[in-house]
Amino acid sequence: MARPPLTLAALATAAVPGLEVQAAAAHTRRSQGGFDAVLLRTGDGRHLVIRAPRSQAAESEQSADLVALRSLTTGIRSRLPFAVPEFVGQAPIDGTRAVVTDLVPGAARSADELTAQAPLAESVGLAVAAIHGLPSAFIGEAGLTRRTAADCRDEVVDLIGRSADTTHLPAALERRWEEAADDAALWRFEPTVVNGSLTADSFLVDADHVSGVVGWSQLSVGDPARDLHWLLTSRGQAADRALEAYLVARSGAADQHLPRRALLYAELELARWLLHGVAVRDESIIADAVGMLDGLVSSVHDRSSEPLAAETGPILTVGDVERLLDETPRDHVPREAGGAMLTDAYDFSDLERVHDEPVGDLTAPIPLDLSDWGDAAPAEPAASPPPASGDAAARAHAPRHDAPPRDQD
């Protein structure tokens, strides 16, 4: 049962000594949420928000968010081109606690709206790049999580395994995801500061720029691709501008496989939704997740979804290469490579040219794709399950979450 706004307003005066509340109103950006939230107008003209969790999960999220906000010092915040909520006070209520923060101005937008126009899309890309460009020392000082690239890969492997254990994961997707997890090149990246739970709901917008970012409970050092997964499933016309702005702002610090890992994380959101349904024993959520997974199988089968693992041919010996070169007609013209991502919005080859390719291990064997040289026959495509039919296939490109999103911090 929701707590009345006046109850929370009175509690705010206990949380913040000397606070004078002139007006209070329920505050939420969606019809449902994990918190009771009230917007307060104070006697000195400030606007504050008080939030009280409705569940144990919301309480845990709020506690982690509070630790993260306190770690974002004035110096760290000065590096960000947007506002972040500031902790004002707290007070106990019903065995938990209500937390008061200042109100970050701005309006919520859907993922498609955030990427509909170039100016706003570019602001989104720059906002994410600013987070990833923060110095990481404060993460350790605050006792927050630091993950290596290997840790990030291990978490993906564990997620795939738990999804397969449900017996609801299609074999084609299990194979696709495992191949990506096994691709060593995909996991060669430098971990950065990440928000960790970034979605379209995290952004607040004023006109054509990001005015604030809320929801910092997963602040850590980890895979920067994790903060971009939602972007690769948006359908705004300027979605590519957001990713390009991000890559340019990172000044070559982003690895060339970041878009592929972001797409992997986007697809794995379906697995997370499935596991959520299994955890709460909700057959409707499980059926919804299975339908979207089947639709994703269809897109993989008809190759409308971008491959995840780096596509390379067999590693050949020097003798094999010399023989193929001798047998290859000099007027041979290689086929053009092409492909589209899950949203048909990006071309990885175009995006990878935005920044310099990092230097790899110079002592490692060089993988050469010579499948269409000379007499070498191209490899047969792997067999895939038949495409899914019905509405599930059409919805697969847009992983959605019916679990209540966060209210504004």
Side-chain angles (χ1 to χ4, degrees):
M1 179 171 157
R3 302 173 180 94
L6 290 181
T7 299
L8 290 181
L11 187 63
T13 62
V16 185
L19 181 67
E20 179 187 347
V21 176
Q22 288 191 337
H27 178 72
T28 181
R29 285 159 47 201
R30 295 293 186 267
S31 59
Q32 296 180 344
F35 299 85
D36 292 318
V38 173
L39 174 63
L40 310 171
R41 189 176 77 243
T42 69
D44 56 2
R46 288 184 297 167
H47 288 84
L48 306 177
V49 175
I50 182 170
R51 299 195 315 158
R54 293 179 180 173
S55 66
Q56 182 61 51
E59 181 179 0
S60 298
E61 177 186 330
Q62 184 185 64
S63 296
D65 192 68
L66 186 56
V67 172
L69 292 181
R70 285 173 165 168
S71 74
L72 295 172
T73 63
T74 302
I76 294 297
R77 291 167 184 258
S78 67
R79 295 171 175 262
L80 299 173
F82 50 79
V84 175
E86 289 196 34
F87 171 77
V88 178
Q90 63 182 24
I93 179 175
D94 300 335
T96 182
R97 62 181 170 184
V99 173
V100 181
T101 62
D102 67 336
L103 174 71
V104 176
R109 295 286 183 265
S110 69
D112 292 351
E113 290 170 335
L114 287 173
T115 56
Q117 302 294 329
L120 179 54
E122 291 173 359
S123 180
V124 168
L126 294 176
V128 180
I131 296 172
H132 295 175
L134 292 175
S136 63
F138 80 95
I139 296 293
E141 294 170 356
L144 299 173
T145 303
R146 297 181 66 97
R147 296 178 182 86
T148 65
D151 292 334
C152 296
R153 176 190 174 277
D154 289 344
E155 289 182 356
V156 166
V157 170
D158 177 68
L159 178 59
I160 296 171
R162 289 189 290 117
S163 302
D165 289 344
T166 68
T167 72
H168 293 298
L169 180 64
L173 292 184
E174 182 179 0
R175 181 170 61 250
R176 171 180 169 86
W177 294 344
E178 286 180 342
E179 288 175 354
D182 290 341
D183 184 357
L186 206 66
W187 301 96
R188 294 188 188 122
F189 66 89
E190 186 67 29
T192 69
V193 174
V194 294
N195 173 281
S197 57
L198 208 60
T199 67
D201 284 340
S202 304
F203 296 92
L204 297 175
V205 174
D206 181 10
D208 60 357
H209 70 277
V210 174
S211 58
V213 173
V214 298
W216 293 84
S217 61
Q218 298 298 316
L219 179 64
S220 60
V221 168
D223 188 350
R226 187 72 183 88
D227 281 350
L228 294 166
H229 77 277
W230 66 274
L231 180 60
L232 298 194
T233 54
S234 65
R235 293 181 173 84
Q237 294 182 350
D240 57 336
R241 298 287 291 275
L243 192 52
E244 289 171 3
Y246 169 86
L247 294 173
V248 171
R250 296 288 287 133
S251 302
D255 67 283
Q256 68 180 113
H257 295 299
L258 181 143
R260 292 188 188 277
R261 289 197 314 281
L263 179 58
L264 171 63
Y265 287 123
E267 294 182 4
L268 288 174
E269 287 299 295
L270 300 182
R272 294 180 188 276
W273 186 230
L274 170 64
L275 290 173
H276 170 69
V278 171
V280 300
R281 300 181 181 181
D282 189 322
E283 292 299 327
S284 65
I285 294 178
I286 294 174
D288 184 53
V290 168
M292 289 190 287
L293 288 167
D294 288 342
L296 181 55
V297 169
S298 177
S299 70
V300 170
H301 178 73
D302 64 20
R303 300 192 179 189
S304 63
S305 183
E306 185 76 19
L308 296 173
E311 297 178 291
T312 61
I315 298 177
L316 305 178
T317 66
V318 173
D320 292 333
V321 174
E322 291 178 344
R323 178 181 57 80
L324 288 172
L325 289 174
D326 290 339
E327 295 174 357
T328 300
R330 294 296 180 248
D331 59 352
H332 172 75
V333 178
R335 293 191 302 267
E336 284 190 16
M341 294 184 66
L342 188 62
T343 60
D344 296 328
Y346 307 106
D347 185 324
F348 283 132
S349 60
D350 289 341
L351 294 172
E352 289 168 1
R353 285 195 293 270
V354 175
H355 56 86
D356 295 331
E357 181 174 337
V359 178
D361 183 0
L362 300 181
T363 65
I366 300 176
L368 299 176
D369 185 359
L370 300 176
S371 59
D372 55 356
W373 280 58
D375 297 331
E380 291 294 327
S384 300
S389 59
D391 294 340
R395 295 163 51 226
H397 294 310
R400 68 178 181 86
H401 307 279
D402 293 339
R406 293 182 303 273
D407 295 313
Q408 179 184 324
D409 294 337

